[in-house]
Amino acid sequence: MRKLFAFAVATLLSVGAAQADRLDDIKKDGVLRVASFDSNPPFGSVDPATKQITGLDVDFAQAIADKIGVKLEVRPTNPANRIPLLTSGKVDLVLANFTITEERAKQLDFSIPYFASGQQFLAKKGTLSSPDQLNGLRIGADKGTTNEIVLRRDFPKAMVVAFDDTPFAFTALRNGNVQAITQDGPKLVGLLAKVPDRQNYEIPAFSISNDYIGVGIPKGETRLRDLVNETLRELEKSGKAATIYDRWFGPNTEQPLPRLFRIGEHD
Amino acid sequence: MSLFGDLLAPRYLVWLLQGFGITLALSAAVCLAGTVLGLAACCLREVGGPAARRAVAGFIGLVRNTPLLVQLFVWYFAVAALLPSGLTGWLNTPHTLDLGFGALHWPAYETLAGFVGLTLYAAAYIAEEGRAGINGVRPAQREAALALGLTPIQAFRHIVLPQALRIAWLPIVGQYLNTIKNTSLTMTIGLAELSYASRQVETETFKTFQAFGIATLLYIGAVALVEAGGQALARRAAPAGSRA
Amino acid sequence: MNRAVITDNLGYLLVGAWPDGPVGGLALTLILSGLSGLASAALGLILGIGLAMSAGAARRALVLGLGFFRAIPIVMLIFWSYFLLPILFGVSVPEIGTVVTALALVGGAYLAYGVAAGIESIGRGQWEAGLALGFGRWQVLRTIVLPQALRAMAPSFVNQWTALIKDTSLAYVIGVPELSFVAAQVNNRAMVYPAEIFLFIGAVYGALCLTLDRLAAALAQGARRAPRLSRATPA
């Protein structure tokens, strides 16, 4: 029975596979569909004034759309929906603080990294100062993130509670349901900047991984990937990548972070 | 064949089965507590004073007319923020009750919130099914009981209620089935039941099809078994004369 | 309690990004529930007639299919239709279509049984009278049985709509910006006012569904009264 089903599916898949190049489709439709976060400033969040999703990821997405010469359409996503959105063809690209991993690279293609960060923690002041304390704590993470996987793998005694998005995990932290939450450092810095009672929390100065962030691209779309990579390199060369970075993490923002990573340093 | 590829590694099947175990345990606890609470509410509405009746009707109306997802968000995110911090702290600390032969562990807050939210939701529906059952008993039955000298409460307890329960049983089983399906929403508040487990397996293996497929089959299997069991019980409990 | 978090975001909660972007919030909840309500009513009617009029293997297949949609959690069905159907069949259904389809299938499966029961509840005498007048089975159904059955079932169609309004909140899982999703967005932005936001949208859903509940009750009373009225009026 399963064989029969698998055969039926395989037949259907071979029909689906005979598609035109995605880049041509994007040009034909005149729209680049990108999945970005809607609740994770400064990477992607809904601007209360314009009600549009804005952020660092969206700026990079806009640059790619401009390069192709089409309109940008941003679809909101949470961490867990990123890969299904891409593999089911609902979006052309994912720009949502998407960590490049070998495992993920089997399912989809990545651009060269355009951002770098490390997995860090946010806790009430005085609860957490070193990684050894993680085992035994209840830690909030986001479903479908590398953070969740790394934490479970490297700290098997930590109790991981996974939520749909980082702010939900933070609410659980604030209510005392978890003792710490984990995410990429810059995302936590961005989150903490928006919290009214931020003086009660801290991001302990250690990280448990180094992550490179790339654009998620459907598997095998080489022309699209080359174009994305070319755009990213040009943005770095022209200084626009630094401008985008400064717009969200520069000295005059709510979450100033020095820019240590340059696009093209790590291919 | 990226869709099926290899079968899921055993440890992921274990995750799914653990999630299924939590789904079943939670469903059983909710059905039990929801039935007790729901029937109590239903009886209170029949024999209680006007204030009690209004309170029960208000509770049922509120719970039945708002989405369960929103109720779970309220129980998990909002109630914890509204409670005095001392109480939230106590609820969040693990307490262990040593029973001699084994220890009872205090559930994590997400389990507690999920249980409370699902139980109240199930209770509101079960109370309504109970009321429909009571309305289905012919009024002459109650009048006859009263004429025989039973008090209204005795008439309700011995004459109306048993018949009403027989009428309401299958609809109540329907609510048990809904409860099994409704537990899937607790994944949004971090409860590691079957739907949550299927998303976790998907995150680690990317075998979306298998992860969701197995979870779906387990849900359907559980629902089908409980439905068949409920119908078998109904057939056995039916009075001899009414058997077809 | 912080009332500003509601008043500042009221527009977003009610209509989403509209008119600068797609309709969302409460307006989208109404659209989704309206569309899936109509679709599930149509589906429930067709399947219910099928259930009442079919027999043997066809009926068993129908019961099995309906059983599937009554047994699967809606969240799972939404995942399937949104993420897996495109991979399986290469067809991509937009978010709103996915939600409407999933809800209509589940709603239709439940309604079908109501419709079948409604048809069967119309007494055997009426069927026989119709057949004796020389009508065909389908003619009796259309001209005699259905009009009565539908009048009796109007409340359950409205009740189904109430259920659908609540179920549209599940579109949250695939990022459709209906009321629950935009509320989650607002909550995620404000971060420290979950009580205000979730209690507020609970009240909005409650007001909406209670109104429909009253409508269903009124319809039910009308349906109970209708046969008596028709008997009282001379033909």
Side-chain angles (χ1 to χ4, degrees), chain B residues 64-66 121 125 181 216, chain C residues 70 75 80 110 166 202 210:
Chain B
R64 282 168 56 102
N65 286 294
T66 46
Y121 197 77
Y125 278 89
K181 294 186 282 172
T216 303
Chain C
R70 280 150 44 106
V75 171
W80 275 102
Y110 276 97
K166 294 193 293 166
L210 274 171

Side-chain angles (χ1 to χ4, degrees), chain A residues 5 9 12-13 16 19 33 38-39 41 46-53 75-78 81 84-85 87-90 164-165 167-168 170-171 174-175 190-192 194-197, chain C residues 9 11-12 15-22 79 81-84 86-95 98 172-175 177 181 184-185 187-194 198:
Chain A
F5 193 45
V9 170
L12 288 164
L13 274 183
Q19 277 171 344
R33 298 166 305 157
D38 60 345
S39 288
V46 181
D47 182 318
T50 63
K51 296 169 182 171
Q52 307 296 318
I53 297 179
R75 302 224 173 163
T77 184
N78 59 24
N81 287 350
L85 278 172
T87 49
S88 63
K90 299 283 182 193
D164 288 339
D165 218 331
F168 280 122
F170 175 75
T171 307
R174 196 163 184 272
N175 291 344
L191 180 138
L192 194 54
K194 302 275 180 205
V195 174
D197 54 346
Chain C
N9 293 297
Y12 193 60
V15 294
W18 190 82
D20 307 318
F79 282 148
S81 42
Y82 192 58
F83 292 135
L84 291 164
I87 304 180
L88 285 180
F89 299 104
V91 285
S92 188
V93 192
E95 289 99 338
T98 305
Y172 157 86
V173 297
I174 53 165
F181 184 80
Q185 274 186 336
N187 173 62
N188 288 347
R189 190 169 61 220
M191 283 199 279
V192 293
Y193 304 114
F198 292 125

Side-chain angles (χ1 to χ4, degrees), chain B residues 3 61-70 73-74 77-79 81-82 121 125 174 177-178 180-182 184-185 187-188 194-195 198-199 208-209 211-216 219-220 223-224 227, chain C residues 1 67-76 79-80 83-84 87-88 106 110 159 162 165-167 169-170 172-173 178 180 184 187 192 194-196 198-199 201-203 205-207 209-210 213:
Chain B
L3 257 190
L62 205 64
V63 171
R64 282 168 56 102
N65 286 294
T66 46
L68 178 59
L69 181 73
V70 175
F73 279 172
V74 166
F77 293 114
V79 168
L82 290 178
Y121 197 77
Y125 278 89
L177 306 183
N178 284 341
I180 297 175
K181 294 186 282 172
N182 286 341
S184 62
L185 297 193
M187 76 167 181
T188 55
L194 182 55
S195 300
S198 71
R199 290 228 85 171
T208 317
F209 197 83
F212 288 160
I214 293 173
T216 303
Y219 276 117
I220 291 179
V223 165
E227 186 168 25
Chain C
M1 282 277 168
F68 173 80
F69 287 110
R70 280 150 44 106
I72 185 172
I74 298 178
V75 171
M76 279 281 149
F79 282 148
W80 275 102
F83 292 135
L84 291 164
I87 304 180
L88 285 180
V106 172
Y110 276 97
N159 280 332
T162 317
I165 288 178
K166 294 193 293 166
D167 288 342
S169 64
L170 303 183
Y172 157 86
V173 297
E178 46 67 54
S180 298
N187 173 62
V192 293
E196 287 83 344
F198 292 125
L199 288 175
I201 64 158
Y205 278 113
C209 295
L210 274 171
D213 202 41

Side-chain angles (χ1 to χ4, degrees), chain B residues 129-166:
Chain B
E129 304 296 8
R131 196 161 81 114
I134 289 169
N135 290 340
V137 178
R138 275 179 296 151
Q141 301 254 349
R142 185 172 169 274
E143 283 152 21
L146 292 180
L148 284 171
L150 271 69
T151 67
I153 289 189
Q154 280 174 330
F156 177 73
R157 158 85 186 73
H158 296 286
I159 308 295
V160 179
L161 195 59
Q163 299 185 69
L165 283 181
R166 208 171 292 137

